[in-house]
Amino acid sequence: MPTPAYVPPETMEVLFSRDQLAQRVRAIGQQISADYAGRPIVLIGVLKGAAIFLSDLARSITVDNTFDFVAVSSYGRAKVSSGQVKLIKDIDNSIEDKHVILVEDILDTGLTLSYLRQLMLQHKPASLKIATCLDKPDRRLVPIEADYVGFKIPNHFVIGYGMDFAERYRGVEDIRIFPEIPAGH
Ligand code: IMP
């Protein structure tokens, strides 16, 4: 497939500014710190989209925490309803008996997090919760909800703050609306 034309991010509408994001992520960090007071947590980020959200979130959490990453590939998202998700990088350290929070950039159809939640439960964590920066509830194909949500949004395709279109724009500081909904989404 040819590389799509580059759209300069500064031409795209800002959905959440860097200040709004910083404020909301700090609030989630405080909530998590209160909920887990006295209990160490393992944050597990889903590469690559969640890397920036996780790095800000980890720095807003005041209880003992470590972090790890998983990576998944999904194919034919638009054509399937059964969750064609494959693990391509597993966790490095055991999470048995640990309090785990899966950290994702966007909860969209729910296929990725449903798959990862089942997989992580097989490792027998003491508890398992989900934190997502954005939630698009209208797009859900499987029933799953996050415990910590930055912002609920309608069905926009967004980029920035870790999120990409064709691997671009992850470093854009604000979350912006991509001018078209990509094919297959
Ligand atoms: P799900 O399995 O459909 O819930 O997919 C979640 C993944 O789809 C996210 O982690 C993103 O990688 C990707 N995704 C969904 N919506 C968007 C978007 O608006 N912008 C960028 N990536 C998205």
Side-chain angles (χ1 to χ4, degrees), residues 42 44 68 91-98 100 123-124:
V42 184
I44 300 183
D68 206 338
I91 46 175
D92 294 335
N93 297 306
S94 167
I95 54 167
E96 191 170 340
D97 297 328
K98 305 265 174 72
V100 173
H123 292 286
K124 303 201 177 348

Side-chain angles (χ1 to χ4, degrees), residues 77 104-106 108-112 136 156-158 164 185:
R77 185 183 290 129
E104 178 61 303
D105 55 355
I106 305 196
D108 187 36
T109 63
L111 294 172
T112 307
K136 292 193 216 175
H156 297 303
F157 192 86
V158 295
D164 75 309
H185 184 80

Side-chain angles (χ1 to χ4, degrees), residues 76-94:
R77 185 183 290 129
K79 299 196 192 82
V80 298
S81 58
S82 57
Q84 303 287 313
V85 184
K86 187 175 151 214
L87 190 74
I88 53 178
K89 185 221 169 289
D90 205 348
I91 46 175
D92 294 335
N93 297 306
S94 167

Side-chain angles (χ1 to χ4, degrees), residues 134-156:
L134 300 182
D135 183 7
K136 292 193 216 175
D138 299 346
R139 292 258 312 158
R140 211 72 95 244
L141 291 177
V142 288
I144 182 164
E145 294 304 324
D147 302 279
Y148 304 99
V149 175
F151 299 98
K152 281 196 191 240
I153 64 165
N155 185 23
H156 297 303

Side-chain angles (χ1 to χ4, degrees), residues 44-96:
I44 300 183
V46 186
L47 290 172
K48 302 168 201 170
I52 292 179
F53 175 47
L54 185 145
S55 72
D56 283 344
L57 188 63
R59 288 178 289 179
S60 303
I61 293 174
T62 50
V63 297
D64 184 7
N65 70 87
T66 58
F67 55 76
D68 206 338
F69 290 98
V70 290
V72 294
S73 69
S74 54
Y75 25 99
R77 185 183 290 129
K79 299 196 192 82
V80 298
S81 58
S82 57
Q84 303 287 313
V85 184
K86 187 175 151 214
L87 190 74
I88 53 178
K89 185 221 169 289
D90 205 348
I91 46 175
D92 294 335
N93 297 306
S94 167
I95 54 167
E96 191 170 340

